Each structure stands twice: as structure tokens, then as C-alpha cells.
Amino acid sequence: VRAKIHSTQRVEISFDAAILNGGIYARGLIASALPSNFRELLISETERISDPELAFIAVASMQRSASTTLVSEVLSSNNTNPCTISLNEVFLNSRHQSGDAWPIDGRHLQNSDKGDLKPALLQDFLIRVAKRRCVEQLRSRDTRNMCENRCIVAFKQFYEHLNAEQHKLLWKNIPNMTVVVLERKVQERWKSRFVAEKTNDWHTHGFDWHKKKIKTIYVPPMNVSESDEFCKEVNWKQLCHFEQKHKDWFNLVRETTPVENRAEISYEDVVENKGESARANIAAVLPIAFQQIITLTN
């Protein structure tokens, strides 16, 4: 079935969705994919969800910068805001990083080299994932009313996820797009990333034993990443030209995105005071209709 039926004409429903709560969740998913003039025939007045309005937060950052904490804890509906959805690293075709996004919404793209995909296809993919997850999130009438039938969709965007042209056109063409520049000091990133690569310890700032490990392990100076000998080592290719990659990425983001749609936040903004400073800075540049709902809490 999946091989023959295009994802634009297909909805994926789990066993649990089909049997729980009288199938309300399943009906909502199916209705959202139907032509608009047929949706009302499937769902009752109490279940009806019009197309939600979406705003996007692209967290332009790099590994070991607290981007996961920002997207999945400070902003995400899992722990804080019922109107905000985390898509994590949605442009990575991995269940660990993007959940069911590619199997359901991007299946028709999976056999293509991602670098060859036109930005319009990636834009369509992102909006499909966001709309489906938002419908799921707003299936409760109370949540839908609280969020005013709107969702804020946050996701991480690293330089290696897409090529430069794809990044730039997504920032330009996605409606209601806010770009959050989350830049940690490059020396601190180097230290954290080196320890993670060397020890396979990818934990975050919150664990005392993790902090102790970073303080006690030997970390070579960052300039070793520029040497050909270092770059040839299979284990260190991800760290090759570390500082230059950092500079190139953040220069691209700042040169491409308009300042009025961009928020600049630091690592400290995210990890201190439960991210209150980060959330306030982001709210200030969101579309006006979404500025209120980003501050809601469960």
C-alpha cells in the first residue's frame, strides 16, 4: 500500500488511535487529509477542527549548544506550553531525531538524495508534519480554545541538515517564520563536543557528573582541528575545521535572515532560570497573534 499510494493521498493510523476515545483521534487525522468540503461529513461538531494557524521557530544552532533543551524543554508542549510542538531535528531522516515525520510525511522523498531535493518539496514536507502534529495536539477542545486554534512549531536547524541554498529558501518562504540564533561560545562547544566524541557521553549541562568529566578530561586546543592529519582520522572528521564551520554557519544565518524576524539568544539564556530569558526574547519577534500563546503553561 505504501509503495503504491502517494503520501499526499494516505493517512497513517495506529491501532491505539483507532480504538481509543471512540476513534476521535483517528477521525481527526483522516478528516485533516480529506478535501475541505468533505471534512464535516466525517466528524461531529464537538470534534471539528478547522485548519490550525501555524508559526515556525527555526533554532539555527550547532551541536552542544543546548538546542535540545530549548526546543524540547523551554518551548515544547511536552513539559511547558500546550500550544508549542517540537519537531526536533526534523530534516534528519532518523526516528531518533525526527520521530514519525519521514515514514509518514516524507516517505515519497526518502529515496532521493536530500541535497537534490528542491526547497519547495522540503517546505511542503515541513508544513505537512507541522499541521499533522498540530491537529493531534489540539484534539482536546480545551487545548484548542486555549491555543486559539494555533500552534507554534519549533525545530532545530544545523548546517549539516541541508545545503546552503535549501536553508536560505526555507527561511525566506516558510510563512510566519522566526529564526532563533542560538550561538554558544565556540571554545565551550569545542570542549563539550570533543568530550562527547571521545567518551560517547552526550548528556547535557544538568548532570553534575557530566560537568565533572568535562573539567577533568584533557581537551586539546581547538586549532588542532585545522590540521590535515587530524582531519584524516575517521574518528575526528566531524570535528574537522571546527571553528571555521562555526563561523561560516552563523555568518550565513545572520546574512540571510531579516533582523526583524530573528532572535539572538545565548547558551546561558537557555540553561539559566528555566530559559525564561530565551522565551521572552523569542516571544518579542513572533507574529503578534502568537506572542500571547508562547507564554501559556500547562
Side-chain angles (χ1 to χ4, degrees), residues 91 109 113-127 157 162-174:
F91 291 115
L109 306 176
D113 186 310
K114 192 166 58 177
D116 294 333
L117 292 174
K118 293 181 179 180
L121 288 174
L122 293 168
Q123 176 179 337
D124 177 72
F125 162 69
L126 178 63
I127 291 174
Q157 207 167 346
L162 303 169
N163 62 42
E165 197 63 21
Q166 290 168 331
H167 281 303
K168 289 191 287 187
L169 288 173
L170 281 173
W171 293 328
K172 179 182 178 181
N173 295 331
I174 294 284

Side-chain angles (χ1 to χ4, degrees), residues 126-143:
L126 178 63
I127 291 174
R128 283 178 181 281
V129 180
K131 186 174 289 188
R132 175 172 61 84
R133 297 274 185 89
C134 183
V135 169
E136 294 172 8
Q137 186 72 13
L138 301 182
R139 62 186 183 272
S140 156
R141 175 184 279 189
D142 289 344
T143 303

Side-chain angles (χ1 to χ4, degrees), residues 32-252:
S32 68
L34 286 174
S36 58
N37 53 322
F38 287 92
R39 291 174 191 165
E40 293 190 3
L41 301 177
L42 185 65
I43 56 179
S44 68
E45 182 67 35
T46 57
E47 297 169 27
R48 192 164 297 146
I49 303 176
S50 59
D51 280 350
E53 187 178 358
L54 305 175
F56 292 87
I57 297 175
V59 178
S61 191
M62 302 188 87
Q63 283 190 318
R64 315 310 294 166
S65 301
S67 59
T68 299
T69 302
L70 176 61
V71 168
S72 299
E73 297 179 23
V74 175
L75 297 176
S76 172
S77 57
N78 291 336
N79 298 306
T80 52
N81 190 311
C83 312
T84 306
I85 298 164
S86 167
L87 300 186
N88 199 21
E89 295 182 53
V90 67
F91 291 115
L92 282 187
N93 187 358
S94 159
R95 277 193 175 271
H96 177 66
Q97 299 294 355
S98 55
D100 62 4
W102 286 87
I104 294 179
D105 304 288
R107 190 176 180 84
H108 60 299
L109 306 176
Q110 288 182 307
N111 293 328
S112 304
D113 186 310
K114 192 166 58 177
D116 294 333
L117 292 174
K118 293 181 179 180
L121 288 174
L122 293 168
Q123 176 179 337
D124 177 72
F125 162 69
L126 178 63
I127 291 174
R128 283 178 181 281
V129 180
K131 186 174 289 188
R132 175 172 61 84
R133 297 274 185 89
C134 183
V135 169
E136 294 172 8
Q137 186 72 13
L138 301 182
R139 62 186 183 272
S140 156
R141 175 184 279 189
D142 289 344
T143 303
R144 190 160 65 250
N145 291 340
M146 183 186 300
C147 300
E148 301 174 351
N149 203 33
R150 296 187 176 102
C151 288
I152 297 170
V153 183
F155 63 96
K156 295 193 281 184
Q157 207 167 346
F158 297 165
Y159 81 98
E160 66 266 26
H161 289 171
L162 303 169
N163 62 42
E165 197 63 21
Q166 290 168 331
H167 281 303
K168 289 191 287 187
L169 288 173
L170 281 173
W171 293 328
K172 179 182 178 181
N173 295 331
I174 294 284
N176 291 334
M177 170 66 83
T178 296
V179 176
V180 174
V181 181
L182 171 56
E183 182 178 13
R184 187 181 186 185
K185 293 175 183 176
V186 66
Q187 288 282 2
E188 293 300 313
R189 277 195 60 241
W190 165 257
K191 184 188 300 182
S192 180
R193 182 70 188 272
F194 184 90
V195 172
E197 293 283 356
K198 188 174 180 64
T199 66
N200 200 33
D201 173 8
W202 293 86
H203 287 91
T204 57
H205 62 278
F207 296 93
D208 289 338
W209 54 267
H210 177 72
K211 294 178 184 177
K212 184 177 180 181
K213 182 182 288 187
I214 288 181
K215 287 181 180 179
T216 56
I217 198 169
Y218 170 71
V219 178
M222 186 168 55
N223 61 16
V224 302
S225 73
E226 303 299 318
S227 74
D228 291 337
E229 183 177 340
F230 183 91
C231 290
K232 288 176 182 176
E233 288 288 333
V234 174
N235 291 342
W236 304 120
K237 282 189 175 178
Q238 291 294 324
L239 297 177
C240 184
H241 303 300
F242 192 85
E243 186 173 18
Q244 192 58 51
K245 288 177 181 176
H246 182 106
K247 290 179 179 177
D248 289 346
W249 172 237
F250 287 108
N251 284 341
L252 174 70

